[in-house]
Amino acid sequence: MTRSFPLRSGASLAVLMLLAACGAADAPPPKAPKKSPDMISYAPGSPELDSLQLVTASSGPLPVSADLNARIVLDEARTSRVGAPVAGRVTRVLADIGQAVRAGQPLAYLDAPDVGQSRADLLTAQAQRNLKAREMERSRMLFAGGAIARRDVDAAEADAASASAELERASLRLRNLGGGSGDALPLTSSVGGYVIDRQINPGQQISAGQSPLYTVSDPRHLWVNVDVPEDSVGRVRVGERIEFDVPAYPDRHFSGTVTQIGLAVDPATRRVQVRAEADNPDLALKPEMYARARLTTDDGRRAIKVPNAAIFESGMKNYVFRAEGGGRFRRVAVEVGERGDAYSYVIAGLRNGDHIVGEGALLLNAQFSGD
């Protein structure tokens, strides 16, 4: 007799499916949240709790204003823009962009006829000075013997002084040109750091006063220029802290110190430029990057820093949900002092250390407001 295992297996599967369906039908549906005028509560294990992110509200100084536009620039106190004092032709290029250089180190050499002429002028001035010095001594000896008049001695002394002055002028001229040998003129930086920019190539003809051929700076120290509204600049103080972010590193936060406050208001923007210094040890920040900055001052005004995702509006007020444990969330009215791109600063309605809902606050409010 043939056994019908496939049929028996199919029947067993059908029975199991029927039992599973009955079990699913018997499972109780999730409980609806309980609501009161300012509270919404969820039962333990409610799936809605998984979509709520809790953050801890932290207290700190109230920023001077909302996030401000800022620009990162070179620290001009640590920057040298190297040009050519005379015309010449580039014979050697020794430094390239990104290279570390020392103060006084030759970056390139020019073949500059003016350097050779200055060297010749120096030799001529030295010869003239020596000649006039001997003539002065001879005149003094002749005057002592009564052979010449006093005015002849005075003339010789004046000629010697003029020759000495011409020698000093020629010496300073050659020193200002950088010295060198022959017609070679070295281009050097007055500061150490890195070559930020190079506008020079071998064989290039350079004119006197041409725009900077090299820019050397130390990018481990940068300036941050911040445009501050005139109604907020009164709270800015030299020595206070600045925090800023750049688009290139969305997960990093940078800081600096205010070192200078502008003395005039830009009539077009009604803003005052404030300068801060920032350290850049890993060279992550680049000159001419744009940034969003927040100026903080310890003038006694405190605020609770919360993410913007935690704040929602209802009517004419701003609210957050404060977690009170056991799946309970209380809707709390807050007063926002300053609102930034990612965070806002609450000056009333919260206390330091309160746990509030960040991401998910809008969905929670939708359930709180729904029937």
Side-chain angles (χ1 to χ4, degrees):
M1 181 176 64
T2 304
R3 297 181 180 180
S4 179
F5 289 106
L7 179 60
R8 188 173 302 167
S9 299
S12 300
L13 181 60
V15 171
L16 291 174
M17 292 177 63
L18 181 59
L19 292 175
C22 292
D26 292 340
K31 294 182 179 180
K34 296 179 181 179
K35 303 176 187 177
S36 64
D38 289 314
M39 182 85 73
I40 183 170
S41 303
Y42 291 93
S46 296
E48 290 88 348
L49 296 176
D50 296 333
S51 62
L52 303 181
Q53 177 197 36
L54 294 184
V55 296
T56 302
S58 58
S59 176
L62 176 66
V64 170
S65 67
D67 289 357
L68 302 170
N69 290 326
R71 187 166 62 95
I72 299 171
V73 298
L74 293 174
D75 183 341
E76 293 297 334
R78 294 180 170 91
T79 299
S80 175
R81 290 178 171 81
V82 182
V86 294
R89 182 177 59 84
V90 180
T91 57
R92 297 172 63 192
V93 174
L94 305 178
D96 202 355
I97 293 176
Q99 181 176 334
V101 296
R102 304 181 309 275
Q105 174 183 334
L107 308 176
Y109 280 96
L110 302 183
D111 179 18
D114 284 352
V115 174
Q117 182 62 49
S118 296
R119 189 176 301 281
D121 291 344
L122 177 62
L123 296 175
T124 301
Q126 288 174 339
Q128 281 294 106
R129 194 275 309 270
N130 294 337
L131 174 63
K132 295 300 181 182
R134 289 195 299 269
E135 289 180 353
M136 180 183 65
E137 291 300 323
R138 186 163 51 251
S139 297
R140 288 174 176 173
M141 292 175 60
L142 292 174
F143 175 74
I148 61 174
R150 179 66 193 179
R151 64 175 179 274
D152 295 329
V153 177
D154 293 341
E157 290 177 345
D159 289 344
S162 178
S164 295
E166 178 61 23
L167 176 61
E168 180 69 13
R169 184 202 65 79
S171 177
L172 291 175
R173 168 67 171 167
L174 185 60
R175 186 187 309 168
N176 290 336
L177 292 179
S181 59
D183 290 352
L185 172 64
L187 299 181
T188 62
S189 169
S190 60
V191 301
Y194 294 84
V195 177
I196 304 298
D197 186 40
R198 188 195 93 182
Q199 299 293 329
I200 189 172
N201 292 298
Q204 182 177 349
Q205 191 68 33
I206 303 299
S207 59
Q210 188 171 331
S211 59
L213 307 176
Y214 276 99
T215 300
V216 176
S217 185
D218 185 356
R220 293 171 297 181
H221 307 278
L222 296 169
W223 284 354
V224 183
N225 291 334
V226 187
D227 294 325
V228 179
E230 62 175 316
D231 57 356
S232 299
V233 75
R235 294 186 59 214
V236 182
R237 299 287 185 273
V238 172
E240 297 285 2
R241 185 180 179 84
I242 179 177
E243 299 176 350
F244 61 96
D245 308 308
V246 295
Y249 307 103
D251 297 328
R252 290 186 62 178
H253 304 288
F254 302 89
S255 63
T257 304
V258 175
T259 56
Q260 188 179 85
I261 302 172
L263 299 179
V265 177
D266 188 323
T269 63
R270 309 307 305 174
R271 292 174 180 262
V272 177
Q273 189 172 90
V274 172
R275 178 193 300 164
E277 292 184 1
D279 291 332
N280 184 34
D282 61 352
L283 304 181
L285 298 173
K286 312 298 181 187
E288 299 305 324
M289 275 184 169
Y290 284 104
R292 295 289 287 172
R294 295 164 297 283
L295 291 161
T296 59
T297 181
D298 195 6
D299 58 0
R301 300 179 63 183
R302 310 290 290 180
I304 303 294
K305 181 179 178 180
V306 299
N308 285 340
I311 301 176
F312 56 93
E313 295 181 358
S314 181
M316 300 296 292
K317 295 184 178 181
N318 293 305
Y319 293 90
V320 299
F321 278 108
R322 184 174 62 207
E324 299 196 347
R328 296 179 302 155
F329 301 92
R330 183 178 299 277
R331 191 176 73 161
V332 178
V334 295
E335 182 180 351
V336 178
E338 294 292 346
R339 190 182 293 271
D341 291 343
Y343 292 89
S344 291
Y345 298 84
V346 173
I347 58 177
L350 287 177
R351 293 173 298 180
N352 186 43
D354 280 347
H355 297 288
I356 62 174
V357 178
E359 294 292 341
L362 292 177
L363 294 176
L364 186 57
N365 183 57
Q367 283 200 324
F368 179 82
S369 303
D371 294 332

